[in-house]
Amino acid sequence: MRITQGTFSFLPDLSDEQIGKQVEYCLDKGWAIGIEYTDDPHPRNTYWDMFGMPMFDVRDAAGIMLEVTACRKTFPQHYIRVTAFDSTHGTESVVLSFIINRPAKEPGFRLIRSEEPGRTIRYSIESYAVQAHAEGERY
Amino acid sequence: MDNPTPATTPKALWEGSGVRTVLDKLNAELIGLTPVKRRIADIAALLLVDKLRQLEGLQSQPPSLHMCFTGNPGTGKTTVAMRMAEVLKQLGYVRKGHLVAVTRDDLVGQFIGHTAPKTKEIIKKAMGGVLFIDEAYYLYRPENERDYGQEAIEILLQAMENHRDDLVVILAGYKDRMDTFFSSNPGMASRIAHNIDFPDYSEGELMQIADLMLERLNYHFDDDARAAFAHYIHLRRQQPHFANARSIRNALDRIRLRHATRVLEADHALTREQLTTLQAADILASRVFNSGASH
């Protein structure tokens, strides 16, 4: 199941050139680019692991692309996203983020039904990617 | 289809490209340094011709612009490097035109495995602009074969080769020590296309530099002071540790100190003229004149 999240989620995956242009747009706006990765694409999993520091002082997309390449090399089978952080007072949050790498096989989510008192059923989802390995073996 | 190239003479193109303004500005703000200016003009010409060739569908490869500035202390290496980023931006060679100035400390780490990330971090920052490495010969310490500088050099070389379109590296340092550096790092020497030697300034040029510096600070010499300072330059040039424009700047700073002390002794209100005029007395009090006499 192909996971979609963030900006451009309805588009096919961006090529490197397209990623570069989006990054250029962010840099022109003065946003700081960060690169994050995770194996768990659960929609509520907001905090992915950062790959290095957010790049507050990189001025050109070519610099960011170096880091993108390095991250893909380190985590070829993870979800990787680029985030753009706007430090303007009052905003101070991520204003754009898009996925730039995904595992070859995306197992998707398991629907969990839990029985509650009074015949109530609660539903939740869990990534198969997380289930596949025990906590200590995931990283 | 008609020939798409507009029928412009190369001369008109040169005038219209903004290159002219860049070079005029350099001429106005940098005294002397003819070889440097000539090289910048050459590079500008090549970039323009490349554009023309591109229009004709001819092969056009952006030239490698890694440079090395050598010269005695105070000949303007750092100043020109700072300016270079701006110039290359206006010529359309680099995209962002920012300058990242570093020395050995910023590139070389303190323990095994520290150097590579540090150097890569700097390269990442310099992408799209100019990476200026001052006193580059410190990167290589032949007396210590385990020195991490070598690792930084290797990473730099790789970046200079693979990211030629994204990054211009400028090395700067004193001539003799840079020569030693290059002879022990042939890889570095072969990747640097432009070796620009900064000549020492003549006395006339030093005087012009002094005038320019004073003008920026809203001071000026009176006639006697000018003569005295010309003499000062003549004497100072023969003394050891003469650092061209840097010595001139230091001398001017000291002259301003003496000027300040002198005008404070006045018991009447100071005029604008008094506040801006440096007199011969301010200059002649210098130690340089004494030692000149004793020799």
Side-chain angles (χ1 to χ4, degrees), chain A residues 1-104:
Chain A
M1 187 185 120
R2 186 173 179 276
I3 305 290
T4 57
Q5 269 192 30
T7 325
F8 318 127
S9 59
F10 291 101
L11 298 179
D13 287 341
L14 301 185
S15 70
D16 276 10
E17 193 190 341
Q18 289 167 326
I19 294 171
K21 283 192 174 151
Q22 294 300 340
V23 165
E24 198 64 58
Y25 171 81
C26 298
L27 293 174
D28 284 347
K29 292 262 179 189
W31 300 340
I33 305 290
I35 293 174
E36 302 177 344
Y37 64 92
T38 188
D39 63 340
D40 176 11
H42 192 287
R44 293 296 177 93
N45 177 18
T46 318
Y47 300 111
W48 294 18
D49 295 293
M50 297 218 69
F51 187 79
M53 300 289 182
M55 290 169 271
F56 284 100
D57 47 6
V58 175
R59 299 271 301 271
D60 191 79
I64 308 279
M65 291 314 284
L66 281 184
E67 205 71 345
V68 166
T69 317
C71 186
R72 279 184 177 150
K73 213 164 145 190
T74 322
F75 300 105
Q77 295 300 322
H78 278 60
Y79 292 94
I80 303 176
R81 72 182 175 194
V82 161
T83 63
F85 177 82
D86 182 356
S87 61
T88 316
H89 182 71
T91 306
E92 290 153 326
S93 63
V94 168
V95 287
L96 184 143
S97 100
F98 54 96
I99 293 183
I100 55 163
N101 193 66
R102 51 180 77 244

Side-chain angles (χ1 to χ4, degrees), chain B residues 2-264:
Chain B
D2 291 338
N3 192 353
T5 46
T8 43
T9 61
K11 191 139 190 145
L13 194 77
W14 175 261
E15 300 282 335
S17 63
V19 172
R20 190 54 188 273
T21 7
V22 175
L23 295 179
D24 282 351
K25 201 168 156 228
L26 273 184
N27 269 328
E29 290 174 8
L30 297 174
I31 310 287
L33 300 179
T34 333
V36 182
K37 288 174 187 162
R38 198 182 308 133
R39 187 62 69 97
I40 293 178
D42 288 349
I43 292 170
L46 174 62
L47 291 175
L48 272 181
V49 170
D50 248 17
K51 261 183 218 160
L52 288 180
R53 287 172 57 98
Q54 223 166 6
L55 285 176
E56 286 290 335
L58 294 167
Q59 180 73 30
S60 76
Q61 172 122 37
S64 158
L65 277 195
H66 302 310
M67 292 178 228
C68 173
F69 293 170
T70 52
N72 286 331
T75 43
K77 299 183 291 291
T78 314
T79 316
V80 171
M82 303 273 174
R83 209 49 76 67
M84 205 64 176
E86 207 180 299
V87 170
L88 292 178
K89 165 92 201 297
Q90 272 160 310
L91 297 181
Y93 186 81
V94 296
R95 289 188 298 270
K96 291 288 149 53
H98 60 294
L99 181 106
V100 177
V102 298
T103 51
R104 181 189 156 92
D105 289 4
D106 303 291
L107 296 170
V108 179
Q110 285 157 10
F111 43 83
I112 291 183
H114 190 207
T115 305
K118 239 179 139 177
T119 307
K120 281 182 183 156
E121 192 68 23
I122 296 288
I123 290 172
K124 209 165 76 186
K125 239 190 260 184
M127 282 295 203
V130 172
L131 175 61
F132 176 62
I133 307 175
D134 210 355
E135 322 232 23
Y137 39 77
Y138 284 129
L139 281 180
Y140 179 68
R141 294 237 167 106
E143 69 274 13
N144 180 0
E145 63 183 23
R146 287 196 201 154
D147 185 64
Y148 302 138
Q150 192 61 42
E151 197 183 341
I153 292 175
E154 276 155 28
I155 293 170
L156 271 177
L157 285 181
Q158 212 183 349
M160 285 163 77
E161 197 61 41
N162 298 345
H163 300 286
R164 243 178 311 171
D165 306 340
D166 302 317
L167 182 69
V168 172
V169 177
I170 300 182
L171 308 178
Y174 304 143
K175 178 100 177 107
D176 46 341
R177 303 181 69 172
M178 281 314 279
D179 286 345
T180 333
F181 174 72
F182 282 134
S183 61
S184 40
N185 294 282
M188 192 61 110
S190 66
R191 277 175 185 82
I192 290 195
H194 306 269
N195 280 293
I196 305 182
D197 198 30
F198 285 56
D200 281 344
Y201 292 110
S202 70
E203 284 178 30
E205 285 166 348
L206 288 171
M207 196 68 206
Q208 276 177 291
I209 289 171
D211 280 336
L212 201 66
M213 284 176 179
L214 287 180
E215 196 185 301
R216 286 201 192 129
L217 294 166
N218 288 328
Y219 280 97
H220 61 85
F221 286 133
D222 65 12
D223 289 344
D224 290 346
R226 179 174 300 276
F229 196 69
H231 189 210
Y232 173 91
I233 292 176
H234 178 72
L235 291 177
R236 183 66 187 87
R237 250 164 74 92
Q238 291 153 12
Q239 289 180 1
H241 306 301
F242 176 66
N244 288 290
R246 199 174 302 144
S247 291
I248 298 297
R249 189 177 62 205
N250 293 342
L252 290 179
D253 282 347
R254 287 191 299 270
I255 291 169
R256 282 165 59 206
L257 293 183
R258 289 187 214 110
H259 165 258
T261 318
R262 177 171 60 77
V263 296
L264 271 190

